[in-house]
Amino acid sequence: MERPRKKVVKERMQTTDIIILAAGKGTRMQSRLPKVLHKIAGQPLLSHVLTAAKTVNDAKSIVVTGFGADQVENTIGKQADAFVTQPQQLGTGHAVQCALPHIRENSKVLILYGDVPLIAPETIAKMLDAVTADQMGLLTVILDDPSGYGRIIRDTDNNISAIVEQKDASPEQLKVNEVNTGVMALTSQQLMGWLPQIDNNNAQGEYYLTDLIAIATSDSVKVKSIQPQSATEVEGVNNRVQLSQLERAHQRQKAQKLMESGTSLADPERFDQRGELTVGTDNFIDVNCIFEGEVKLGSNIHIGPNCQIINSTIGDGVEIKANTIIEDSVVGDNAILGPFARLRPGTELADNTKIGNFVETKKAKVGKGSKINHLSYVGDAELGEGVNVGAGTITCNYDGANKFKTTIGNNSFVGSNSTLVAPVKISDNSFVGAGSTITKDTEENSLAISRAKQRNIDGWKRPTKED
Ligand code: UD1
Ligand code: MG
């Protein structure tokens, strides 16, 4: 039987092209690095903009580079869909002109800035919603001190009619405190039709993108103003002071979200997230902790001060004491780490394990309930359950050319100050006497001991000071 055909209403999905201006050198950064490659939360400024741009369906991002174009392109790579180089910085209008070959015919076009990193997806969506055949969107803000910015000029009906740059403004226009953020959205037809009409007859001899507004008005296209949720969204970075201020603003937002989702922070001003952090509930994070890359925390975790956790997964009920560093590792439930523990890549700790102070692990699988409590190095090793590794134990995993593995069986005990020369296996339930250098595999239920026998010398005379 033939099914009744559903009427498919083919809505023509409109594409979006997002041009990101990033040609400027950023002289005031006093840096060899192009400004847009300076970082906030561990990511280049430009990457933040591209991440926000990616929240738009079907968006194509086009980055306009100039100063350090190769460096920008190499660093950003596939995060952007296209790069164009503006050979000479002749103004924002000229920069957008350079991107035109990448603009599709029936697109909405949004213009963003590589040095304005915190633009929010919600604001981008509002801007694009404002675009129709007879309306464009312009992001504006009202500032107590508008100096330096292009002023928004409105007609007697309060409609936007032009933007006048500070250097071209009359004393009357300078009093306006609604300013241009630079972010605008329009159709590709509008942009292609209007850009050739821009000239450089102005105080700076530049092709001003902002001249589009007056052209739109004369073309009977309404300019709808949109305001960001927060002023930080449209703040640009021109120097390192502003960079640090935006970093903190960004971290404050992250801290806020974390607290709202059930994590306590000792001080939200001393919290740094540089990547993706997923969390359970009822965790406590003390001051100066840094979370980098992809970090997953379970619930009921207590993290002491000055810890750094990178690309790792931490189970429920774990206690991480001060100054512990964890990288590319997995930590089971109820483990106790630190203070001053260092888990290097490939550490996998089962539940109820303990890694104490000044212990370094690397590519180490540690079974349930096993403990390495003090001053040890355990690398390229596999430990069973219930193992106790005494203070100062070293797995000698490297012969200067190759790495070898140490295996320690269930319920074994390694006495303090032992060196285990890999490849070597300590069997289940075996015991290594303190101070041993173990080069041969041990038997189950045995004691391995390799140290000089103690001699006690009677009547030994202590040396005395010479006159
Ligand atoms: C621009 C706006 C101004 C607005 C302000 C907001 C114009 C003419 N003026 O002024 O109305 O209030 O931003 O910050 O647009 N860029 C290029 N190529 C160029 C010139 C600039 O890529 O040839 C990039 C810069 O790297 C920068 C951005 O465009 O990221 C803005 O340029 P900038 O020179 O800072 O413009 P403003 O004078 O601040
Ligand atoms: Mg500027």
Side-chain angles (χ1 to χ4, degrees):
M1 201 180 82
E2 229 179 83
R3 273 202 260 154
R5 282 247 183 108
K6 250 198 203 163
K7 251 198 190 167
V8 182
V9 185
K10 261 207 178 160
E11 221 182 293
R12 221 187 48 206
M13 273 286 274
Q14 199 171 16
T15 55
T16 303
D17 296 335
I18 302 181
I19 301 174
I20 303 169
L21 303 194
K25 176 168 191 243
T27 309
R28 282 171 285 167
M29 297 299 285
Q30 304 289 356
S31 175
R32 288 183 197 164
L33 194 68
K35 177 161 73 171
V36 295
L37 295 185
H38 281 264
K39 289 175 178 176
I40 278 185
Q43 292 292 319
L45 300 176
L46 181 53
S47 299
H48 285 271
V49 182
L50 286 161
T51 302
K54 282 211 177 77
T55 61
V56 179
N57 274 336
D58 256 327
K60 175 182 176 185
S61 55
I62 304 127
V63 175
V64 181
T65 58
F67 178 78
D70 288 346
Q71 210 178 346
V72 173
E73 211 166 314
N74 288 338
T75 307
I76 299 300
K78 290 204 164 67
Q79 290 175 50
D81 295 311
F83 292 93
V84 279
T85 303
Q86 183 191 18
Q88 255 187 309
Q89 276 136 65
L90 305 178
T92 47
H94 177 254
V96 171
Q97 179 93 48
C98 294
L100 278 192
H102 290 277
I103 300 301
R104 293 168 290 186
E105 222 151 74
N106 273 308
S107 273
K108 291 183 180 182
V109 181
L110 174 70
I111 293 153
L112 299 175
Y113 298 81
D115 58 355
V116 182
L118 301 185
I119 185 86
E122 296 75 20
T123 304
I124 288 178
K126 270 200 251 170
M127 289 292 294
L128 291 169
D129 282 347
V131 178
T132 63
D134 46 21
Q135 181 174 282
M136 66 171 289
L138 181 68
L139 194 64
T140 72
V141 277
I142 294 180
L143 297 179
D144 291 338
D145 176 12
S147 53
Y149 290 91
R151 308 297 206 279
I152 304 294
I153 308 303
R154 290 175 181 270
D155 64 18
T156 44
D157 296 328
N158 206 35
N159 290 319
I160 296 177
S161 58
I163 297 174
V164 178
E165 291 304 297
Q166 162 107 9
K167 289 185 178 149
D168 301 286
S170 67
E172 205 53 39
Q173 289 169 329
L174 285 176
K175 285 185 197 147
V176 174
N177 58 5
E178 184 182 10
V179 304
N180 173 34
T181 64
V183 176
M184 57 176 80
L186 66 175
T187 68
S188 50
Q189 280 102 339
Q190 289 163 349
L191 184 66
M192 288 170 188
W194 298 339
L195 264 186
Q197 301 178 42
I198 294 180
D199 61 35
N200 62 354
N201 292 325
N202 51 54
Q204 303 189 81
E206 284 184 7
Y207 293 90
Y208 289 166
L209 184 65
T210 45
D211 284 355
L212 287 187
I213 303 304
I215 299 170
T217 308
S218 68
D219 232 4
S220 305
V221 169
K222 187 176 152 55
V223 180
K224 186 180 179 192
S225 68
I226 283 154
Q227 277 75 43
Q229 294 276 43
S230 128
T232 56
E233 281 187 52
V234 296
E235 271 171 36
V237 172
N238 293 306
N239 57 47
R240 293 177 196 251
V241 175
Q242 291 169 340
L243 183 69
S244 73
Q245 286 163 345
L246 279 192
E247 170 81 47
R248 221 12 64 200
H250 177 72
Q251 293 299 346
R252 230 172 259 134
Q253 286 170 11
K254 298 271 178 200
Q256 180 92 16
K257 274 197 188 141
L258 208 54
M259 292 186 288
E260 282 165 7
S261 76
T263 293
S264 288
L265 299 178
D267 182 359
E269 294 292 314
R270 286 180 287 173
F271 165 80
D272 285 85
Q273 180 183 332
R274 300 175 188 160
E276 284 292 312
L277 177 61
T278 45
V279 294
T281 57
D282 296 301
N283 295 324
F284 172 83
I285 300 173
D286 215 323
V287 299
N288 299 331
C289 291
I290 302 175
F291 299 85
E292 282 179 39
E294 209 177 308
V295 175
K296 290 187 182 134
L297 301 180
S299 294
N300 296 306
I301 295 168
H302 189 283
I303 304 178
N306 312 318
C307 293
Q308 185 182 18
I309 305 183
I310 307 159
N311 293 320
S312 294
T313 300
I314 313 293
D316 295 337
V318 170
E319 183 173 5
I320 302 172
K321 296 181 189 173
N323 302 296
T324 291
I325 300 174
I326 303 172
E327 181 171 6
D328 291 323
S329 295
V330 178
V331 176
D333 295 346
N334 304 311
I336 301 175
L337 313 178
F340 294 97
R342 179 169 182 215
L343 275 51
R344 288 172 52 206
T347 298
E348 285 176 46
L349 307 180
D351 298 349
N352 303 306
T353 44
K354 269 183 91 173
I355 304 293
N357 34 217
F358 306 106
V359 171
E360 173 181 343
T361 61
K362 187 215 75 173
K363 264 198 203 161
K365 251 184 145 168
V366 180
K368 250 189 197 169
S370 291
K371 298 172 188 171
I372 313 166
N373 270 335
H374 330 267
L375 302 152
S376 291
Y377 171 65
V378 175
D380 299 304
E382 189 165 345
L383 278 63
E385 298 181 1
V387 171
N388 193 312
V389 174
T393 297
I394 309 290
T395 55
C396 307
N397 59 330
Y398 186 48
D399 63 4
N402 296 297
K403 301 268 168 73
F404 301 97
K405 189 173 169 183
T406 301
T407 308
I408 306 179
N410 297 326
N411 305 310
S412 290
F413 185 102
V414 178
S416 297
N417 196 31
S418 293
T419 49
L420 311 175
V421 183
V424 73
K425 182 178 174 192
I426 311 295
S427 295
D428 288 357
N429 299 305
S430 68
F431 203 102
V432 172
S436 293
T437 296
I438 301 296
T439 54
K440 290 183 286 195
D441 292 356
T442 71
E443 300 295 322
E444 281 188 32
N445 305 305
S446 71
L447 165 68
I449 189 156
S450 76
R451 64 184 184 223
K453 272 220 165 111
Q454 181 173 335
R455 287 187 298 156
N456 287 350
I457 299 171
D458 287 339
W460 168 251
K461 289 236 163 48
R462 288 172 72 158
T464 53
K465 265 214 162 117
E466 286 174 30
D467 288 334

